[in-house]
């Protein structure tokens, strides 16, 4: 059975930084499945209508499919994962094959909100970062990488990201086994995680 680690936290809190560090440490022993790829498809709506949707609410995700595919990986089966295109606010036509490996990394802002998801995780890590820093990171990321205007980023943050964070994301921190303050680039946290995962992965080896 694979060891499943969930990494949650607010938007632009540093989850990806922590994930990349773990992937660098363990290379081919890690497979990664982002909750963001499981946003519901919105092809039936116009681009303008998609822009108005609340993407920070649990109802925005195809959680049933996400759970099903996590369970498939845990059972040792390869899956075909959807790909979400942030530039058009819906799923891409592309898919990616994901192979089972000893460590399964999951991440998403609402990863700990659903009790069904929490039950699938052996370890739950919450990346806790100051709100102002998260907003600045999100503004830079969305304008550079996701073709968003500054105005649209500010509007989305004000209307949905911030209130949904307060309603769903922040309260889910109580379910974490491990809280990482100040973002994912923390060498003490990296060393602690490595020591713990080494015990799990290499137990009984000489």
């Amino acid at each position: 059975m694979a060891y499943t680690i969930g990494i949650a936290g607010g938007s632009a809190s540093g989850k990806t930084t922590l994930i990349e560090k773990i992937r660098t440490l363990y290379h081919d022993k890690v497979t990664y499945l982002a909750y963001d790829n499981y946003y519901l498809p919105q092809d039936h709506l116009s681009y303008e209508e998609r822009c108005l949707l609340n993407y920070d609410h649990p109802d925005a995700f195809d959680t049933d499919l996400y759970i099903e595919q996590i369970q498939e990986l845990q059972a040792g089966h390869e899956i075909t994962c959807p790909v979400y295109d942030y530039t058009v606010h819906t799923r891409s036509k592309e898919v990616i094959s994901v192979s089972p490996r000893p460590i399964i990394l999951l991440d998403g802002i609402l990863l700990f909100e659903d009790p069904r998801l929490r039950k699938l995780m052996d370890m739950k890590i919450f990346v806790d970062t100051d709100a102002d820093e998260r907003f600045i990171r999100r503004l830079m990321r969305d304008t550079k990488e996701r073709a968003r205007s500054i105005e649209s980023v500010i509007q989305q943050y004000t209307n949905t990201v911030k209130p949904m964070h307060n309603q769903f994301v922040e309260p889910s921190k109580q379910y974490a086994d491990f809280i990482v303050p100040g973002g994912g680039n923390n060498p003490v946290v990296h060393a602690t995680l490595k020591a713990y995962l080494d015990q799990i992965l290499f137990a009984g080896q000489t």
Side-chain angles (χ1 to χ4, degrees):
M1 176 71 78
Y3 192 83
T4 305
I5 303 172
I7 300 178
S11 176
S13 59
K15 298 184 296 298
T16 301
T17 300
L18 183 56
I19 286 163
E20 288 306 315
K21 181 62 178 180
I22 295 172
R23 295 176 78 178
T24 298
L25 287 172
Y26 293 103
H27 302 289
D28 59 354
K29 290 183 172 59
V30 176
T31 196
Y32 170 56
L33 204 63
Y35 200 10
D36 280 6
N37 275 330
Y38 292 80
Y39 277 114
L40 289 164
Q42 304 293 348
D43 299 321
H44 60 291
L45 299 177
S46 69
Y47 175 77
E48 289 72 23
E49 290 172 319
R50 293 177 211 159
C51 291
L52 299 176
L53 296 177
N54 182 353
Y55 293 95
D56 294 85
H57 191 281
D59 290 346
F61 294 87
D62 189 348
T63 303
D64 289 341
L65 177 61
Y66 193 47
I67 290 170
E68 177 186 323
Q69 296 207 319
I70 294 169
Q71 291 173 326
E72 286 292 306
L73 285 173
Q74 290 176 331
H77 304 145
E78 185 174 290
I79 64 164
T80 300
C81 171
V83 176
Y84 187 76
D85 187 342
Y86 293 97
T87 64
V88 292
H89 295 292
T90 194
R91 283 187 191 170
S92 167
K93 301 301 180 186
E94 299 178 12
V95 294
I96 53 175
S97 294
V98 180
S99 300
R101 289 175 180 170
I103 297 174
I104 300 173
L105 284 180
L106 313 174
D107 93 296
I109 59 171
L110 296 171
L111 200 59
F112 301 162
E113 189 276 334
D114 193 308
R116 298 173 300 162
L117 280 171
R118 295 198 302 268
K119 287 180 181 178
L120 297 175
M121 302 172 207
D122 299 294
M123 176 189 282
K124 297 179 290 294
I125 301 171
F126 190 95
V127 182
D128 198 15
T129 305
D130 177 77
D132 289 341
E133 185 173 350
R134 286 190 285 105
F135 171 71
I136 292 169
R137 290 179 183 176
R138 182 184 176 99
L139 182 65
M140 295 177 64
R141 179 196 68 194
D142 286 5
T143 52
K144 291 181 178 179
E145 300 175 13
R146 300 181 180 178
R148 308 280 174 80
S149 67
I150 293 175
E151 292 77 12
S152 72
V153 175
I154 293 173
Q155 183 178 34
Q156 186 180 25
Y157 184 83
T158 303
N159 293 343
T160 61
V161 176
K162 184 177 180 180
M164 294 299 99
H165 178 90
N166 293 337
Q167 183 175 350
F168 295 111
V169 182
E170 188 67 23
S172 76
K173 183 166 65 175
Q174 67 181 299
Y175 302 111
D177 302 306
F178 194 22
I179 295 174
V180 178
N185 194 17
N186 185 321
V188 175
V189 170
H190 300 164
T192 303
L193 275 175
K194 184 177 187 305
Y196 185 80
L197 291 174
D198 280 352
Q199 282 188 325
I200 293 166
L201 290 172
F202 307 119
Q205 296 185 17
T206 56

